[in-house]
Amino acid sequence: MSTPGTREMPVRNPRTGQDDYLIHPLDAAQLAGLAGRLRQAQPAWAAAGVAHRAQVLRQWVGLLAADPAPVVDALSIDTGRYRLAASEMQSLRGLVEGYAGMASALLAPAAERASVVPGIGIDTGLVPYQLVGVISPWNFPFLISMLDAIPALMAGCAVIVKPSEVTPRFIAPLMESVRRVPELAGVLAVIEGDGASGAALIEQVDIICFTGSVATGRKVGEACAKNFIPSCLELGGKDPAIVLASADPAQAARVVLRASVQATGQACQSLERVYVQRPIYEPFMAALTAAARGTELNYPDMHAGQVGPLIFARQAAIIEAQLAEARARGARVLTGGEIEHHGGGSWLRPTVVADVSPDMQLMSEETFGPVVPVMPFDDIDEAVRLANDSRYGLSAAVFGAEAEARAVAARLDAGAISINDGGLTTEAFDAEKNSFKLSGMGPSRMGSSGLMRFLRKRAILIQRGRAKVMEDLDERGGRPAN
Ligand code: NAD
């Protein structure tokens, strides 16, 4: 265990606006010391085998499940919402069981095989990176940290996680639980810190898993490239939804609203722009605005309503600026539309916007708020062109008759397309996908490659035939016959 750093950073409470918590980022020497200790423990962790690692992780999950309140309560203060905080924690068991289930087969030693070159045997082994660095964002502070940490641990790596400085309260109780499983405490550390701490972490590890904005992802990718270490980058999105005339407009509207507004729109895979085929545009908009008006803020009671506060103070200003630009250019805000300040926090009711155009920021830049801008379209080619006209390519959704929707999905430049739903990647962790364009780089974080990206292949090549000797290099032997 490392002692806290001497630097102090205040942390804002999203429901009160008050700085009511302090974090103590490690200094560079402390971080190096921690990395050294984890590196020392890693070989035994890797040698213990998958079944043992799964058992240690299950023991930890059991401890957390028996007493979730300290972590869930801290996470709910971090994010200003309760139900999602509890579900972030509950997802840990599924992650551990999912990777435990696939790891024994994926990591089983492969039998030696004969090379296509006669006489040579090939024995391929898997070697985990010794120390993995995970840098995570503030929108799902626990879940996104664990999405990378659990498969890395299961692969046999040691892991340092550096969550966002915006939402760090869950770290102390989480590490309290880790310390109750000493073997795990030897190979897993979750540390407090800011961007400088993230940058310092890159200097200590063998591979980085980063989730966050494109701007920071670019810096992280560059720093990793300088150090010759791989970076797995999961970045922003501007996910489109295409609603075909063959969809049920009322049902599609309800699902689109949920997938846009879930977590107050502070989710990378939020539906942030909606294209609706003209024959059902009017009923879709009627159902969407009615459903949006029916939602409530989770204020003053955190355990009521569906819409939590905006977690990050600066995000409110970004959303306001995008809405102002859209309004100035003729967009009509049909519901919500004003940031509301209650008790020191900032909330935004689901904001449905009509009469938008593709060049508005609201339709092109990540909003990260509960805003649903909607545009009608006439033919499918136009919808596909509008959806693909983006620097992002994280995910998308298509609503309609399944065969037609699947045909449209196959034309979209995005790594995951939900059919008749939105954001299914957050439910199906076993669907492999890549992030297209500026939405990311590196292997799939989901499915078996989510585990395999932490392992390098090491080939042992055995010569069973005749090994070449110096005479084989003699130029006279290479003279063409004439
Ligand atoms: P951010 O980029 O501001 O910060 C992310 C993390 O990077 C934080 O822990 C921060 O401390 C750290 N950091 C900052 N500067 C750094 C540096 N120079 N070197 C190393 N680390 C540094 O992102 P955010 O505002 O916390 O998160 C919101 C963004 O995350 C949105 O763009 C969202 O779309 C994206 N996101 C993507 C996914 C995905 O899976 N693709 C999931 C969730 C969020």
Side-chain angles (χ1 to χ4, degrees):
M1 178 49 199
S2 52
T3 45
T6 47
R7 188 157 62 100
E8 265 186 6
M9 278 190 70
V11 182
R12 176 183 171 274
N13 181 320
R15 294 184 72 83
T16 66
Q18 300 294 314
D19 291 345
D20 61 4
Y21 193 78
L22 284 175
I23 57 170
H24 302 87
L26 302 183
D27 63 32
Q30 288 172 314
L31 187 55
L34 174 66
R37 286 194 293 285
L38 264 68
R39 284 188 188 278
Q40 266 176 6
Q42 184 272 340
W45 176 247
V50 175
H52 181 77
R53 293 197 291 274
Q55 183 235 314
V56 171
L57 286 166
R58 282 187 179 118
Q59 189 192 340
W60 180 49
V61 171
L63 282 176
L64 281 170
D67 184 19
V71 175
V72 172
D73 289 351
L75 203 54
S76 69
I77 302 173
D78 276 329
T79 56
R81 59 198 190 207
Y82 185 82
R83 191 172 170 164
L84 282 174
S87 78
E88 280 193 65
M89 262 277 288
Q90 281 153 9
S91 62
L92 184 65
R93 185 184 294 278
L95 267 177
V96 167
E97 289 308 328
Y99 281 113
M102 65 173 85
S104 44
L106 289 170
L107 304 190
E112 186 191 316
R113 65 179 179 84
S115 164
V116 292
V117 177
I120 298 178
I122 300 177
D123 188 356
T124 305
L126 296 171
V127 185
Y129 286 104
Q130 197 170 44
L131 185 55
V132 175
V134 175
I135 301 174
S136 58
W138 48 259
N139 59 334
F140 286 91
F142 177 88
L143 173 66
I144 294 178
S145 298
M146 292 303 131
L147 266 182
D148 296 316
I150 295 301
L153 288 164
M154 202 67 87
C157 312
V159 182
I160 299 179
V161 185
K162 205 294 291 170
S164 170
E165 65 276 27
V166 179
T167 49
R169 291 174 184 77
F170 75 101
I171 297 171
L174 188 71
M175 280 309 292
E176 204 51 53
S177 72
V178 171
R179 280 191 286 278
R180 290 171 64 196
V181 186
E183 207 175 340
L184 185 61
V187 288
L188 172 63
V190 184
I191 61 168
E192 298 175 345
D194 55 2
S197 316
L201 180 61
I202 295 171
E203 302 304 316
Q204 297 297 334
V205 299
D206 305 318
I207 177 171
I208 280 283
C209 297
F210 171 84
T211 307
S213 62
V214 172
T216 313
R218 199 183 290 281
K219 288 186 203 160
V220 168
E222 285 172 1
C224 289
K226 278 198 187 113
N227 287 1
F228 269 75
I229 62 169
S231 56
C232 306
L233 306 179
E234 299 285 349
L235 311 177
K238 186 74 189 171
D239 283 4
I242 295 178
V243 184
L244 301 167
S246 55
D248 171 349
Q251 169 65 6
R254 281 196 298 270
V255 178
V256 163
L257 185 71
R258 190 273 305 154
S260 300
V261 167
Q262 183 163 347
T264 317
Q266 304 160 120
C268 54
Q269 80 296 341
S270 280
L271 296 179
E272 290 215 349
R273 50 199 173 110
V274 184
Y275 307 100
V276 182
Q277 203 156 15
R278 207 169 301 269
I280 61 162
Y281 179 74
E282 291 303 332
F284 178 89
M285 291 303 277
L288 183 67
T289 49
R293 288 194 184 102
T295 60
E296 290 167 24
L297 306 183
N298 76 344
Y299 184 86
D301 181 2
M302 177 156 53
H303 300 278
Q306 305 88 8
V307 181
L310 298 167
I311 296 171
F312 187 41
R314 260 177 282 160
Q315 202 64 37
I318 294 171
I319 298 168
E320 257 175 342
Q322 290 191 6
L323 284 170
E325 191 234 24
R327 278 187 172 111
R329 298 176 64 187
R332 275 185 307 127
V333 174
L334 303 179
T335 66
E338 302 299 333
I339 305 278
E340 298 178 26
H341 302 283
H342 301 290
S346 303
W347 276 260
L348 177 63
R349 290 176 199 274
T351 296
V352 176
V353 188
D355 297 345
V356 290
S357 57
D359 53 347
M360 290 177 183
Q361 288 171 11
L362 210 51
M363 293 295 276
S364 55
E365 301 294 325
E366 192 175 45
T367 305
F368 231 53
V371 182
V372 202
V374 191
M375 228 183 113
F377 70 88
D378 290 303
D379 68 68
I380 306 276
D381 287 348
E382 181 192 2
V384 169
R385 184 178 50 72
L386 288 166
N388 286 341
D389 181 19
S390 172
R391 40 187 213 129
Y392 297 106
L394 190 65
S395 40
V398 186
F399 293 80
E402 185 178 324
E404 190 190 9
R406 286 182 62 153
V408 172
R411 298 174 63 190
L412 297 183
D413 281 340
I417 325 287
S418 301
I419 304 287
N420 290 323
D421 206 338
L424 279 176
T425 48
T426 58
E427 292 182 35
F429 287 116
D430 48 350
E432 295 211 352
K433 59 157 207 109
N434 292 108
S435 299
F436 291 14
K437 303 194 231 175
L438 288 192
S439 289
M441 200 174 84
S444 171
R445 144 193 274 181
M446 307 296 189
S448 57
S449 105
L451 178 83
M452 299 309 284
R453 68 199 156 129
F454 298 113
L455 296 150
R456 291 155 298 170
K457 286 189 173 155
R458 177 162 58 201
I460 309 284
L461 299 124
I462 309 131
Q463 179 59 275
R464 297 214 170 81
R466 187 185 74 81
K468 293 191 190 76
V469 293
M470 283 309 289
E471 284 73 10
D472 294 293
L473 305 183
D474 197 319
E475 289 287 2
R476 281 165 294 200
R479 182 183 297 160
N482 49 14

